[in-house]
Amino acid sequence: MEVSGRRSRVRVSGHDDDRISNLSDDLLHNILLKLRSTTAAARTSVLSRRWRHLWAALPDLLLENVNAADSVDAALAACSAPTAHPPRDHHHAPALPQRPDHHTRQPLAALRRGTPPRAASSRCACPEPSTPTERSRCRCSRR
Amino acid sequence: MAAPESGDGNNGAARMVTLISSDNTRFEVEAAAASLSQTLQLTILDGGGGGGDGIPLPNVDSATLSKVLEYCIKHAPAAANGGAPNATAVDRAELERFDNEFVNIDQSVLYSLIMAAHNLEIEGLQSLVAKKVADMIKGKSPMEIRRTLGFPDPTPEEQAEMNAHMLEYGWAYE
C-alpha cells in the first residue's frame, strides 16, 4: 500500500518564533497531561503569560516527590485559585473537586476518550497524607 | 478473474478512498487506514471518498497529510485487529520503533501534525505527538524549555517576571 500523490516539499519555514504557544488550550493541555506530573506541568507556568494558568486546568493532580505538606497546600492553592485565595489549611485534597470551574475543564475531559466526564465528587479518594518520602498521589477530581 | 493481490484483505482488493489536501493534492489510501481518523470514518462508512470523488481536507496541507497517512498506514493493521490480540511482541516493538522515528522531525512539522491529528481526531497520533512535546519539556529548566521550544529570549521585564514567578512556585521546584 502506498500513498500516491505528489509531495509538496515546499513549506512555509518557521520563523514564527514559539509556534507552540499558538496552539489552543486543549492541545497544550494534552501536552501537559503527557508530563504525567503536576509539578512538572506547574513549572511550565513560568514560561510566559500564555502558559501561566494552563496547568491549573488539568483534570488530575499528580504530585510526585513533594516533600512537605506545605508544598501540597501550595500546589492546591495555586491550582485551585490562580485568582488569589489564601492557601487552604488542610493537607488533604477535597478542596480541589469543589472548585467552581469544572465546566471550564469539561472540554479537556472530553478529549480523553473512554473516560467520559463525570460529575465531580466532593470526596477525595487519596490515601492518608503521605510520609515525606512517599509519593503522594492525588487523583480526586474525575476518576 | 484473479483478484488483485492485496495482502490479507478478505474480499480481494482493499477499498481505496481519496483525500484532497488544502493545496489540492490527491492522496489515494486504503479506507482502513483513513478510518483511523474518527472525523473521516463516518464519511467513509457512508461510502464517501470513493470513485472520482475525494474528501476535501481544507485544514491539512499536503506535506502534513502525507505524514499523517504514513502513520495511518503503519498503524491500520494493528487497529483492525482491535489493537492487540494477534499482535506479537515483535509487532509492537516494530510499531514503537516506527513511532519513535516518526516524531523525530522538525518542530514546525510537529506542530502541524498536532493540529492535523486533532482536526482529524486520530487518537494514537494525538497521543504520540503530545508525548513528543512533553518529552522535549521534561527535566529541563524554564530557560532550557524556552530555548528548546523556540521562544524568543525574554526581555529584562519578562525575566524579572519569571524570577518572581519561580519564587512563588517554589513548591514545584523542590
Side-chain angles (χ1 to χ4, degrees):
Chain A
M1 357 179 202
E2 279 228 301
V3 181
S4 60
R6 268 179 311 111
R7 286 192 185 196
S8 153
R9 283 282 167 200
V10 184
R11 287 191 60 82
V12 181
S13 67
H15 31 45
D16 320 345
D17 280 341
D18 179 21
R19 261 190 82 189
I20 189 171
S21 295
N22 294 326
L23 296 176
S24 68
D25 282 11
D26 280 355
L27 295 179
L28 292 176
H29 284 149
N30 272 353
I31 290 166
L32 294 183
L33 280 171
K34 293 291 178 189
L35 290 171
R36 306 194 60 77
S37 154
T38 298
T39 41
R43 284 197 291 272
T44 64
S45 64
V46 79
L47 293 177
S48 72
R49 288 183 185 166
R50 170 80 182 90
W51 289 72
R52 192 102 340 141
H53 301 301
L54 285 171
W55 73 278
L58 297 181
D60 295 320
L61 199 58
L62 289 166
L63 298 173
E64 295 176 45
N65 304 321
V66 170
N67 288 326
D70 283 351
S71 297
V72 177
D73 276 346
L76 286 172
C79 168
S80 58
T83 45
H85 287 294
R88 301 176 192 272
D89 58 359
H90 45 69
H91 169 103
H92 216 28
L96 187 60
Q98 292 166 355
R99 293 196 292 167
D101 60 348
H102 275 126
H103 58 288
T104 64
R105 301 194 293 163
Q106 292 290 67
L108 178 59
L111 280 176
R112 313 177 77 210
R113 233 176 277 285
T115 53
R118 273 190 273 146
S121 141
S122 60
R123 276 252 164 256
C124 174
C126 320
E128 283 302 300
S130 48
T131 60
T133 50
E134 194 179 300
R135 178 181 191 198
S136 86
R137 190 161 203 204
C138 173
R139 19 180 75 217
C140 9
S141 46
R142 343 214 114 109
R143 292 279 159 121
Chain B
M1 198 192 284
E5 68 279 33
S6 78
D8 42 11
N10 290 333
N11 303 316
R15 186 183 151 201
M16 305 298 281
V17 293
T18 302
L19 307 177
I20 306 170
S21 67
S22 60
D23 45 352
N24 276 324
T25 304
R26 299 173 73 88
F27 292 83
E28 200 186 357
V29 61
E30 284 193 5
S35 295
L36 257 60
S37 157
Q38 299 287 314
T39 312
L40 295 176
Q41 197 175 56
L42 277 182
T43 309
I44 291 171
L45 281 175
D46 271 356
D53 301 333
I55 304 173
L57 301 173
N59 296 324
V60 189
D61 66 36
S62 57
T64 307
L65 185 54
S66 152
K67 191 81 180 151
V68 166
L69 292 178
E70 186 187 336
Y71 174 91
C72 291
I73 288 167
K74 187 72 182 181
H75 280 261
N81 286 335
N86 311 339
T88 64
V90 176
D91 292 338
R92 280 193 295 269
E94 162 59 17
L95 275 185
E96 203 178 314
R97 188 205 58 76
F98 170 86
D99 284 353
N100 288 337
E101 188 63 28
F102 183 81
V103 289
N104 192 10
I105 46 177
D106 190 78
Q107 271 184 42
S108 65
V109 183
L110 185 62
Y111 298 141
S112 300
L113 275 180
I114 289 176
M115 286 187 286
H118 176 70
N119 289 333
L120 294 169
E121 293 181 80
I122 303 169
E123 200 174 349
L125 184 56
Q126 282 179 282
S127 177
L128 177 65
V129 288
K131 183 166 184 308
K132 170 66 179 180
V133 181
D135 288 344
M136 290 158 65
I137 291 176
K138 267 181 198 161
K140 292 196 172 83
S141 72
M143 282 309 291
E144 286 170 334
I145 297 173
R146 282 183 63 106
R147 272 193 291 273
T148 304
L149 299 182
F151 284 59
D153 286 339
T155 62
E157 197 180 42
E158 279 174 320
Q159 185 64 62
E161 204 174 316
M162 285 173 71
N163 292 345
H165 187 75
M166 281 173 77
L167 280 179
E168 186 190 335
Y169 274 63
W171 58 271
Y173 292 93
E174 284 171 356

